[in-house]
Amino acid sequence: MLSPHIVRAYDHELAELGNRIASMGGLAERMVDEAMAALVNADTDLARKVIADDATLDEGQRWIDDQAILMIARRQPMADDLREILGAIKIAADLERVGDLGKNIAKRVVAVTEVRQPVQLFRGLEALTTLALTQLKQVLDVYASREVSTIGFVRSRDEEIDAMYTSLFRELLTYMMEDPRNISPCTHLLFCAKNIERIGDHATNIAETVYHVVTGEMLPMDRVKVDKSHQIVIRESPEE
Amino acid sequence: MLSPHIVRAYDHELAELGNRIASMGGLAERMVDEAMAALVNADTDLARKVIADDATLDEGQRWIDDQAILMIARRQPMADDLREILGAIKIAADLERVGDLGKNIAKRVVAVTEVRQPVQLFRGLEALTTLALTQLKQVLDVYASREVSTIGFVRSRDEEIDAMYTSLFRELLTYMMEDPRNISPCTHLLFCAKNIERIGDHATNIAETVYHVVTGEMLPMDRVKVDKSHQIVIRESPEE
């Protein structure tokens, strides 16, 4: 039997993995939030900060990967703990991608704001971002609390994000049809919107991982994508 | 000491993981290839087939994940074998994403081809796809052969893909400026191009994983993204 000392050291390592995931989550959320603020306020300094922050997030993921492998090699964990450790690797990968998506938005700040855009243009994107970041935050709260019984919110929120993205896609395409000067900035905003929609997908991935870590079961959600943006065709004259 | 029988059973399991990765790779490549063919030929039946194939790819990833966890739990592998098994999990995740990107292109077939598009519109996208799929295929060949000394091609190819994507982005934006009727189809083609560019990124991820699995070291490539598409602004009148 393992000595209490060894068991405690292992629990301490697991808790440390959890803390690092929480830090990565906080940083990823902040990057996306700041990337959007940089976009709305044409703030290229803030955009540069977001781009630089990505290295810290990558570093966080590498730490978790290395530590996870060390823990598996040293502790030879059995099913539950192994699921916990592999879950941390998966969640870290999702959070690293969320940061990449934030960085990607930050990189578009110059192209979008070279000509001052009406604030109204950003409204839909801001609403979508709020929704996706709330989703991510709540999923990470479930990871920290282990209260997976509350995880049902994920599915309806994911559908809400997809529906809002589809409507934003249509709105941006309409601006492009109305005035060719909108084509360049709105194309970049379309990619920003797609990035935010994908943050929602990563939040859902994390929810599935958390559920599996805690229960050993797959999350029964029959995830139905309601993103219909790929079907959108806008004609020049609706009457045609 | 382990008996030869157990060692052989373990080698057999490792080889089986490799075979499953190879099948996933073949299917992912075919999905992307067929999605592009569906787009160019306005073939909605083929598009539907690609979308359906995604479930098989997901199933492949689940099998690898489950098998990898079983192997770790049963065999308690040490450093090298552990890296091999965790590498298989990572590569399977990248291949699953490649299939998703192919599915995403297939989903846009109807919106792009609702009005018959000139074949020339697809030329750039086809060239980009050939490049990205060649990259993926060669990286998977290195995974199978373990000949990581040849992996230097990855970096220059990745730069080539990024540069071609940037030029395609500019070309599609120009079509949109020329004729508002191009806005809807070209927007979807922009997203298709982005999907293909991301397949190149996944191929690079896989190359990094393969190098780490085989050598235990990080691939020294100082990956520099030359995708400049996020900076592109096209004005209505270039003279302005």
Side-chain angles (χ1 to χ4, degrees), chain A residues 2-233:
Chain A
L2 295 175
S3 78
H5 171 74
I6 290 181
V7 172
R8 273 205 306 273
Y10 187 50
D11 285 344
H12 175 77
E13 285 177 5
L14 277 182
E16 180 63 17
L17 269 191
N19 290 341
R20 298 283 186 137
I21 295 271
S23 312
M24 278 190 76
L27 177 56
E29 284 166 25
R30 204 179 65 220
M31 285 173 68
V32 175
D33 201 40
E34 291 183 346
M36 273 306 300
L39 200 62
V40 174
N41 304 312
D43 184 342
T44 51
D45 287 340
L46 188 56
R48 263 191 296 274
K49 175 181 174 299
V50 171
I51 293 166
D53 278 346
D54 192 50
T56 310
L57 200 62
D58 287 353
E59 182 53 43
Q61 187 193 8
R62 261 195 305 279
W63 189 93
I64 288 169
D65 275 6
D66 291 349
Q67 178 65 10
I69 291 176
L70 272 180
M71 284 174 72
I72 295 173
R74 275 206 307 251
R75 309 285 188 188
Q76 309 280 340
M78 283 291 112
D80 285 9
D81 287 334
L82 191 55
R83 219 163 51 221
E84 181 78 41
I85 296 171
L86 293 173
I89 292 178
K90 284 201 180 221
I91 294 172
D94 276 303
L95 291 174
E96 189 272 334
R97 282 297 300 147
V98 169
D100 272 353
L101 294 164
K103 181 173 76 167
N104 199 285
I105 292 171
K107 282 180 168 180
R108 296 184 191 275
V109 167
V110 172
V112 172
T113 60
E114 211 207 20
V115 175
R116 191 83 196 179
Q117 302 297 332
V119 173
Q120 159 231 6
L121 197 63
F122 301 112
R123 287 269 181 276
L125 194 55
E126 286 184 293
L128 187 66
T129 305
T130 302
L131 209 56
L133 286 185
T134 305
Q135 172 87 316
L136 179 61
K137 201 185 164 328
Q138 292 187 347
V139 166
L140 290 173
D141 286 349
V142 174
Y143 179 60
S145 70
R146 312 274 134 159
E147 299 281 354
V148 290
S149 61
T150 66
I151 216 162
F153 69 87
V154 168
R155 182 179 172 171
S156 58
R157 185 77 54 73
D158 198 36
E159 289 178 5
E160 208 181 327
I161 291 171
D162 284 351
M164 198 188 272
Y165 166 67
T166 302
S167 125
L168 186 55
F169 190 99
R170 183 178 291 280
E171 184 188 337
L172 288 167
L173 230 51
T174 308
Y175 292 145
M176 290 157 84
M177 305 293 286
E178 280 170 5
D179 184 345
R181 283 170 301 184
N182 290 336
I183 290 178
S184 277
C186 285
T187 297
H188 290 291
L189 289 179
L190 274 172
F191 277 96
C192 293
K194 182 72 195 169
N195 289 343
I196 299 292
E197 185 261 350
R198 296 210 48 235
I199 290 170
D201 286 344
H202 286 290
T204 305
N205 289 349
I206 295 173
E208 289 172 347
T209 304
V210 170
Y211 192 86
H212 186 245
V213 163
V214 175
T215 67
E217 307 288 327
M218 305 305 273
L219 182 58
M221 59 189 298
D222 302 325
R223 193 166 168 186
V224 180
K225 292 292 287 182
V226 294
D227 164 16
K228 303 281 183 216
S229 66
H230 58 270
Q231 301 169 351
I232 292 178
V233 176

Side-chain angles (χ1 to χ4, degrees), chain A residues 61-62 65-66 68-70 72-79 82-83 86 89-90 97 104 107-112 114-115 165 169 173 176-181 183-185 187-188 190-191 194 198 212 218 225 227 229-236, chain B residues 61-62 65-66 68-70 72-79 82-83 86 89-90 97 104 107-112 114-115 165 169 173 176-181 183-185 187-188 190-191 194 198 212 218 225 227 229-236:
Chain A
Q61 187 193 8
R62 261 195 305 279
D65 275 6
D66 291 349
I69 291 176
L70 272 180
I72 295 173
R74 275 206 307 251
R75 309 285 188 188
Q76 309 280 340
M78 283 291 112
L82 191 55
R83 219 163 51 221
L86 293 173
I89 292 178
K90 284 201 180 221
R97 282 297 300 147
N104 199 285
K107 282 180 168 180
R108 296 184 191 275
V109 167
V110 172
V112 172
E114 211 207 20
V115 175
Y165 166 67
F169 190 99
L173 230 51
M176 290 157 84
M177 305 293 286
E178 280 170 5
D179 184 345
R181 283 170 301 184
I183 290 178
S184 277
T187 297
H188 290 291
L190 274 172
F191 277 96
K194 182 72 195 169
R198 296 210 48 235
H212 186 245
M218 305 305 273
K225 292 292 287 182
D227 164 16
S229 66
H230 58 270
Q231 301 169 351
I232 292 178
V233 176
I234 295 189
R235 289 169 198 81
E236 207 180 358
Chain B
Q61 186 193 9
R62 259 196 305 279
D65 275 6
D66 291 350
I69 291 177
L70 272 180
I72 296 173
R74 275 205 307 248
R75 309 284 189 188
Q76 309 281 341
M78 284 290 112
L82 191 54
R83 219 162 52 221
L86 293 173
I89 292 179
K90 283 202 180 221
R97 281 297 300 148
N104 200 284
K107 280 179 169 182
R108 295 184 191 275
V109 166
V110 172
V112 173
E114 209 208 20
V115 176
Y165 166 66
F169 190 99
L173 230 49
M176 290 157 85
M177 306 291 288
E178 281 169 7
D179 185 345
R181 281 172 302 184
I183 290 177
S184 276
T187 297
H188 289 291
L190 275 173
F191 277 97
K194 182 73 195 167
R198 297 211 47 236
H212 186 246
M218 304 305 274
K225 290 292 287 181
D227 163 17
S229 67
H230 57 271
Q231 301 169 351
I232 293 177
V233 176
I234 295 188
R235 289 170 198 79
E236 206 180 359

